[in-house]
Amino acid sequence: MTRITSAAGNPSVGDLREAGVRLIIGTVVNAAGITLAKGVPLARLAAFQQSGMGAAPVWDVFTSGGDIAYTGGIDAVGDMRLKIDPNDLRVLGAGRAWAPGSLFRQDGSPAPTCPRRALRTVETSLGDAGFRALVGHELEFVLVAPDGSPLETTPWVPYGATGLFDRAGFLDDLLVSLDGAGIPPEQIHAEYGRNQFEFSLPPAGPVAAADAVVLARIVVGLAARAHGLRASFSPSPFPGVVGNGAHHHLSLSRNGVPLFAGGTGPHGISTAGGAAIGGILAGLPDIQGFLTGSILSGGRLAPGAWSGVHLCWGLENREASVRFLADGEGNPHGANVEVKIVDPSANVYLASASILALALDGLRTNHRLPHEMPGDPGRLTDQERRAAGVELLPNSPALVIDTLDRSRLARRLLGDDIVDVTVAVRRHEQATYGGMAPDELASRFRLA
Ligand code: GLU
Ligand code: MG
């Protein structure tokens, strides 16, 4: 797998033919967090980039169950265009290349529901306000058998060296492929859950970082298949045990000066950095539907599961929805905040867009940094927790989506179209699968 670049940054059909490419796959991620794609023969590269390929409006509302959450505005009629960004083409092997796609209307204007465009808009707004954001994603997944059943790996040692040896063939392939695709991981480890692994991607601009997640997941899936395995990115692959998170790290700077270091606040947080953190925390319940909105998301959200269910921030606090990582020798990328609550069923573009939009909102309104939660809030009694002003984020899909639907803040930040399609797919999931027992639900969506 290789990344094709040319002096112009835009590979030619000749470059790609030489690299063995026959089919270009352009992807978009919809409101249900599903990656949808069109494949185009190499000779049609220019068309894929300029006029794009047809994508029915129902692409916005395909659910993870494979059915369609029709809305008043979305039915069988109409068409969007999926266009790829050829600067970001990566060769995947087996004659395939991949590029991230965005959705447009027939007249060439951006589709209002396009998640990648929503993130690009927030990135631009941050830039216009003088801020630069860098985002680094963590990817957690569980290896399972091709039919989705659990693998027998005995013993499983959380964070153990054994996992890195037991699955050496898969991990070697994964490392080589990620490297070849131009997204070398920062580190990889065996996670807490059985057959659960995690790797993290280096910080990048918000859109580039989200694109890298889409590509990385494809690469993980291919590497797993090559070893007779599958990778589950379900937030709750097996009920009752730790789930998969999709933690977002972000840092902000203005004129090259970081906002989360060198300031007069706690741990060097500047006033502006505090405003960004304050904005995120104040709006997190409103946008939770973008972060943990799926029918399975609640299965992961429990105190003690390190999923950040406590609405607070704290230095290196794994039970806080916003974990702060201070500047220092142990932190070569510099101070950053980690939004821990996000899970992999979220649309990565919308998760990033909503978190960054909250940060920008906090900056614009000079939000104040709330008090830090220094220890594990799970150790407090309910009364102590309330006295400390720390709420527990809800784990009910219906509640999370109702809040998103009613949120003026979310609608102001990302627009009605994006909120409405997200609410539609998630409510459809609830109506269709809400009655299933946890075991049945987990296995139904383990490989969704
Ligand atoms: N698996 C946990 C989650 O669901 C995260 C564990 C960790 O802190 O890395 O978010
Ligand atoms: Mg982890």
Side-chain angles (χ1 to χ4, degrees):
M1 196 175 298
T2 34
R3 178 180 193 177
I4 294 278
T5 41
S6 65
N10 192 343
S12 68
V13 169
D15 294 334
L16 293 166
R17 186 169 296 122
E18 213 164 283
V21 173
R22 291 182 295 278
L23 194 70
I24 314 272
I25 297 174
T27 56
V28 290
V29 183
N30 82 354
I34 310 166
T35 304
L36 301 168
K38 281 261 162 149
V40 169
L42 179 58
R44 299 249 303 143
L45 173 65
F48 208 178
Q49 173 189 351
Q50 283 148 21
S51 48
M53 299 298 138
V58 293
W59 276 42
D60 284 336
V61 288
F62 270 116
T63 71
S64 35
D67 38 21
I68 299 171
Y70 287 108
T71 68
I74 296 179
D75 58 21
V77 181
D79 217 359
M80 298 186 286
R81 307 302 295 178
L82 163 57
K83 297 187 194 180
I84 58 156
D85 197 337
N87 292 309
D88 293 327
L89 261 172
R90 311 292 163 97
V91 177
L92 298 179
R96 262 80 181 141
W98 167 90
S102 301
L103 292 168
F104 294 82
R105 290 179 171 132
Q106 294 285 19
D107 65 6
S109 61
T113 50
C114 177
R116 191 164 182 261
R117 179 211 175 216
L119 180 55
R120 177 89 69 205
T121 304
V122 176
E123 189 172 349
T124 305
S125 304
L126 276 163
D128 292 346
F131 300 104
R132 179 164 179 252
L134 287 177
V135 179
H137 292 278
E138 293 182 10
L139 287 93
E140 290 184 339
F141 60 92
V142 173
L143 288 178
V144 295
D147 64 358
S149 59
L151 298 174
E152 278 316 314
T153 306
T154 313
W156 182 259
V157 185
Y159 309 103
T162 49
L164 296 178
F165 290 113
D166 288 347
R167 298 290 166 196
F170 160 73
L171 292 172
D172 281 357
D173 265 12
L174 179 62
L175 289 174
V176 169
S177 301
L178 289 170
D179 211 24
I183 46 170
E186 299 256 289
Q187 66 92 37
I188 189 156
H189 66 265
E191 251 294 343
Y192 194 90
R194 289 184 74 78
N195 297 298
Q196 188 182 36
F197 289 91
E198 170 182 333
F199 65 91
S200 38
L201 294 171
V207 173
D211 288 344
V213 168
V214 177
L215 176 60
R217 286 208 205 176
I218 293 173
V219 172
V220 169
L222 291 172
R225 270 164 217 258
H227 290 269
L229 304 164
R230 292 290 186 277
S232 170
F233 283 96
S234 164
S236 182
F238 298 99
V241 294
V242 288
N244 289 318
H247 311 165
H248 274 51
H249 289 255
L250 70 103
S251 65
L252 290 162
S253 60
R254 183 164 41 191
N255 300 323
V257 180
L259 265 48
F260 296 138
T264 53
H267 318 297
I269 299 175
S270 70
T271 309
I277 295 173
I280 294 173
L281 283 170
L284 212 52
D286 282 60
I287 62 148
Q288 200 190 334
F290 289 129
L291 315 183
T292 71
S294 78
I295 184 78
L296 276 174
S297 292
R300 157 183 173 261
L301 298 178
W306 293 7
S307 49
V309 281
H310 299 95
L311 184 59
C312 58
W313 75 276
L315 180 70
E316 293 170 10
N317 194 336
R318 287 187 184 75
E319 283 293 315
S321 42
V322 174
R323 175 174 175 240
F324 186 73
L325 290 312
D327 194 30
E329 192 180 301
N331 195 359
H333 290 304
N336 64 84
V337 301
E338 176 187 12
V339 181
K340 273 192 86 82
I341 189 85
V342 192
D343 80 50
S345 67
N347 176 310
V348 63
Y349 298 97
L350 297 182
S352 263
S354 53
I355 292 167
L356 290 169
L358 287 181
L360 180 57
D361 209 47
L363 285 161
R364 282 187 171 143
T365 55
N366 297 317
H367 219 288
R368 287 184 56 152
L369 178 67
H371 287 301
E372 176 177 6
M373 180 71 231
D376 176 355
R379 298 227 167 127
L380 305 177
T381 63
D382 283 354
Q383 205 183 358
E384 287 167 338
R385 198 168 41 70
R386 270 194 296 273
V390 177
E391 277 172 49
L392 215 49
L393 287 164
N395 64 1
S396 146
L399 202 63
V400 166
I401 292 304
D402 286 351
T403 303
L404 176 65
D405 192 16
R406 280 198 311 267
S407 169
R408 289 222 200 106
L409 178 66
R411 290 178 177 278
R412 171 165 64 78
L413 297 179
L414 293 198
D416 286 331
D417 296 284
I418 281 181
V419 172
D420 289 342
V421 290
T422 304
V423 168
V425 289
R426 297 314 192 187
R427 286 225 173 105
H428 186 91
E429 288 176 5
Q430 291 163 26
T432 316
Y433 306 104
M436 278 186 172
D439 263 351
E440 202 188 349
L441 195 62
S443 73
R444 173 73 178 77
F445 288 104
R446 200 167 293 134
L447 295 173

